[in-house]
Amino acid sequence: CALPILPDVAEGSRPGTSVMTVTATDKDEAVASDNGVVFYTIVGQEPKEPNPQMFTIDSMTGVISVISTGLDCEKFPEYTLSLLATDLNGGGYSTPGMAKITVTDVNDNAPIFLPTEYTESVPENDVGYEIVRLSVTDEDTPQSRAWYANYTITKGNEGGNFKVMTDRRNNDGILMKAKIGRA
């Protein structure tokens, strides 16, 4: 038993990006006549945002590609395309099909500190002491690689007295005492 392969495309993909290929077969002969030549069309797209034509299909090969900008995983994580495969090179019998396309998250949103400043007191010799939890918001998909914050102390820790770890459950930064400072 094989599981279906669901195609995906990264949010922000540019027009021309290939997503998948669909195929249909016709038992009629396609060499000497057009009876067995299949012609592909997209007849519907859900959702219709941000553009009712986010994808196009090559009528002869069945390659589905991005045609419009604006793919955004946080707003529209999945598209369903209604397809038609028509024999006689587009002038004969048709059969419907469907393609589901998942839009994957990329790191397109920076984390924002809430609040932007913290003031705390620190015990002098307590290595491992949790000083404060730093809260951020991030518009990327929660629990995705793009969502996880990586905290760095950029100034004021020249002696290496502090460290920040990320709490993977809620994306908080945990500022901790790393070593005993010297006077």
Side-chain angles (χ1 to χ4, degrees):
C1 178
L3 296 174
I5 297 172
L6 300 176
D8 58 47
V9 63
E11 67 180 338
S13 289
R14 296 179 183 203
T17 301
S18 179
V19 178
M20 67 182 296
T21 302
V22 295
T23 56
T25 56
D26 189 316
K27 291 184 180 182
D28 291 329
E29 197 222 319
V31 177
S33 72
D34 287 341
N35 285 348
V37 177
V38 179
F39 187 87
Y40 302 96
T41 54
I42 296 175
V43 294
Q45 169 192 296
E46 288 298 329
K48 295 185 180 347
E49 287 89 19
N51 182 323
Q53 240 185 336
M54 294 300 294
F55 302 93
T56 187
I57 190 167
D58 183 298
S59 61
M60 299 306 291
T61 65
V63 173
I64 296 175
S65 303
V66 176
I67 193 173
S68 181
T69 59
L71 289 173
D72 189 333
C73 175
E74 291 81 28
K75 293 179 182 173
F76 309 106
E78 185 177 90
Y79 286 87
T80 301
L81 304 179
S82 299
L83 310 172
L84 270 184
T86 308
D87 68 2
L88 199 56
N89 205 17
Y93 293 106
S94 295
T95 190
M98 181 178 63
K100 284 189 180 267
I101 300 170
T102 300
V103 181
T104 57
D105 198 14
V106 298
N107 192 10
D108 60 340
N109 296 292
I112 299 170
F113 280 101
L114 293 173
T116 56
E117 288 188 29
Y118 296 84
T119 303
E120 297 293 328
S121 298
V122 182
E124 188 174 349
N125 295 318
D126 197 353
V127 174
Y129 177 80
E130 183 177 311
I131 301 165
V132 68
R133 285 188 168 254
L134 311 170
S135 296
V136 295
T137 60
D138 191 318
E139 297 289 319
D140 288 312
T141 303
Q143 306 300 320
S144 71
R145 289 182 58 199
W147 179 76
Y148 286 117
N150 182 21
Y151 294 86
T152 305
I153 300 172
T154 59
K155 188 175 179 184
N157 193 34
E158 290 75 13
N161 293 321
F162 306 99
K163 67 180 179 180
V164 183
M165 296 174 24
T166 303
D167 184 334
R168 293 292 187 188
R169 293 172 297 150
N170 57 18
N171 218 19
D172 282 354
I174 306 168
L175 179 62
M176 301 172 66
K177 182 81 169 151
K179 67 180 186 178
I180 298 173
R182 297 181 192 246

